[in-house]
């Protein structure tokens, strides 16, 4: 569920995701396996055994509830804390681009909204000591692994390139590639062993570039120069793109490391963070 934080405060998340009935059901679970199954059922993540993303989400929710139990939060506090963690995660994965600082600011606004009594914009649900422990827990468990969550939930992007040359008409498919099927209808042969990325298949639809082994006498006029120009241009552009991407990745990694170090440093000054949580 998307959560918007307004300029005067945040959105109050008590009972937003976990109702009192849900919490009673979870409290009645006698083992980690029962609680995990209950979480998967409540949030329709029943395929978490086979789906990696669902498994990550179930673990995130499980440990958040375990932390709330160790802190002896009331049901209202547990519901609000759980929704803060859930909303923070959705903020992280809403874009494939770097948004660590934006996600952390969003998380702080949600915590503030539930720690200061200022009706109707916020409620004093957590005291200062609980706020500090909530901040420490989320920093140590979620933001420390921010890049892992970003990687796991960011969809893969595929870039397809095609070429169209101005002033040169499209070349129709050779007659040898069209064969008669059994019913007398026209069919196009499958690509050869070289695959769809072979030189013969490069370019826009219906267009064919000469291969390296093709007879020079069979090439249309001007194809010699065109092939050399294309090969040189593409090679240079690919090299420039590779260098630019490598530099961008190094810069982003450096920025993320600096932000995480600053956040952890601030947390270390304000109090000792809790240790790693484990399933009971």
């Amino acid at each position: 569920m998307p959560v918007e934080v307004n300029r005067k405060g945040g959105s109050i998340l008590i009972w937003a995701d976990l109702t009192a009935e849900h919490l009673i059901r979870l409290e009645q679970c006698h083992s980690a396996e029962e609680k995990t199954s209950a979480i998967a059922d409540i949030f329709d993540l029943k395929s978490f055994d086979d789906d990696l993303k669902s498994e990550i989400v179930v673990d995130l929710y499980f440990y958040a509830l375990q932390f709330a139990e160790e802190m002896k939060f009331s049901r209202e506090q547990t519901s609000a804390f759980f929704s803060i963690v859930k909303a923070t995660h959705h903020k992280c994965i809403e874009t494939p681009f770097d948004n660590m600082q934006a996600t952390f600011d969003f998380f702080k606004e949600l915590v503030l909204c539930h720690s200061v009594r200022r009706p109707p914009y916020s409620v004093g649900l957590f005291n200062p000591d609980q706020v500090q422990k909530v901040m420490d827990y989320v920093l140590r468990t979620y933001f420390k692994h921010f890049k892992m969550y970003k990687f796991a939930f960011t969809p893969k992007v595929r870039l397809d390139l095609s070429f169209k040359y101005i002033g040169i008409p499209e070349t129709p498919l050779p007659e040898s590639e069209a064969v008669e099927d059994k019913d007398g209808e026209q069919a196009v042969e499958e690509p050869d062993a070289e695959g769809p990325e072979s030189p013969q298949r490069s370019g826009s639809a219906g267009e064919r570039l000469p291969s390296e082994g093709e007879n020079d006498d069979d090439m249309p006029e001007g194809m010699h120069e065109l092939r050399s120009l294309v090969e040189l241009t593409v090679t240079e552009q690919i090299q420039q793109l590779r260098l630019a991407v490598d530099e961008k990745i190094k810069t982003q990694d450096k920025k993320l490391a600096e932000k995480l170090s600053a956040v952890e440093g601030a947390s270390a000054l304000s109090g000792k963070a809790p240790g790693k949580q484990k399933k009971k």
Side-chain angles (χ1 to χ4, degrees):
M1 179 185 65
V3 177
E4 295 183 359
V5 177
N6 56 51
R7 297 174 63 182
K8 295 182 179 180
S11 296
I12 299 175
L13 300 179
I14 304 175
W15 313 128
D17 297 292
L18 286 179
T19 64
E21 290 76 11
H22 290 152
L23 291 173
I24 292 174
R25 176 183 175 184
L26 292 169
E27 290 169 0
Q28 294 174 347
C29 295
H30 301 292
S31 66
E33 290 74 16
E34 289 184 17
K35 183 172 290 188
T36 299
S37 298
I39 293 172
D41 183 59
I42 292 172
F43 295 99
D44 196 21
L45 298 170
K46 299 177 183 179
S47 62
F48 71 95
D49 287 331
D50 302 320
D51 182 62
L52 179 60
K53 292 182 180 179
S54 297
E55 183 180 359
I56 293 174
V57 172
V58 169
D59 279 347
L60 176 67
Y61 294 169
F62 176 90
Y63 288 115
L65 290 172
Q66 181 173 279
F67 171 77
E69 182 180 350
E70 292 175 354
M71 290 291 298
K72 301 187 183 304
F73 283 164
S74 65
R75 290 175 180 170
E76 291 82 1
Q77 289 175 323
T78 300
S79 177
F81 169 71
F82 178 89
S83 293
I84 289 173
V85 173
K86 184 173 182 287
T88 299
H89 174 64
H90 281 281
K91 181 68 174 179
C92 165
I93 65 176
E94 71 177 6
T95 173
F97 303 105
D98 173 32
N99 65 338
M100 183 178 185
Q101 187 61 51
T103 303
F104 183 67
D105 292 340
F106 177 80
F107 163 70
K108 290 192 299 183
E109 288 290 343
L110 289 179
V111 174
L112 181 64
C113 177
H114 295 82
S115 59
V116 177
R117 183 173 179 81
R118 189 177 50 171
Y121 305 111
S122 61
V123 293
L125 191 62
F126 300 108
N127 60 44
D129 181 63
Q130 291 172 330
V131 168
Q132 184 59 56
K133 290 181 178 179
V134 166
M135 295 283 290
D136 289 340
Y137 171 80
V138 177
L139 283 173
R140 295 293 182 183
T141 59
Y142 191 86
F143 284 97
K144 187 174 182 179
H145 303 95
F146 188 86
K147 293 174 67 175
M148 182 274 290
Y149 286 106
K150 178 68 73 173
F151 175 80
F153 288 89
T154 297
K156 294 182 180 179
V157 179
R158 178 179 175 180
L159 177 63
D160 293 326
L161 297 176
S162 62
F163 299 95
K164 196 166 186 178
Y165 309 105
I166 300 175
I168 300 179
E170 294 185 359
T171 304
L173 288 174
E175 295 180 1
S176 60
E177 295 191 6
V179 296
E180 292 288 334
D181 61 10
K182 294 181 180 180
D183 297 330
E185 297 179 354
Q186 290 289 332
V188 179
E189 292 182 349
E190 294 294 330
D192 54 22
E194 295 180 352
E197 296 182 358
S198 62
Q200 291 86 346
R201 298 293 178 183
S202 299
S204 58
E207 189 173 322
R208 185 178 68 89
L209 292 179
S211 63
E212 295 182 0
E214 187 175 353
N215 192 338
D216 292 345
D217 296 334
D218 297 334
M219 292 185 186
E221 184 179 357
M223 274 298 183
H224 297 283
E225 182 179 355
L226 176 60
R227 184 173 67 182
S228 300
L229 179 61
V230 170
E231 291 177 350
L232 178 62
T233 302
V234 172
T235 300
E236 292 177 351
Q237 291 183 353
I238 290 177
Q239 183 65 23
Q240 293 176 1
L241 181 61
R242 183 181 294 110
L243 294 175
V245 170
D246 290 342
E247 186 63 27
K248 183 67 174 178
I249 292 176
K250 291 179 182 179
T251 302
Q252 292 297 331
D253 286 344
K254 183 178 179 181
K255 289 181 178 180
L256 285 174
E258 291 175 352
K259 291 177 182 178
L260 186 56
S261 298
V263 169
E264 291 182 346
S267 175
L269 292 176
S270 56
K272 184 178 180 182
K276 183 178 180 181
Q277 305 297 326
K278 296 183 177 179
K279 290 186 180 180
K280 293 183 179 180

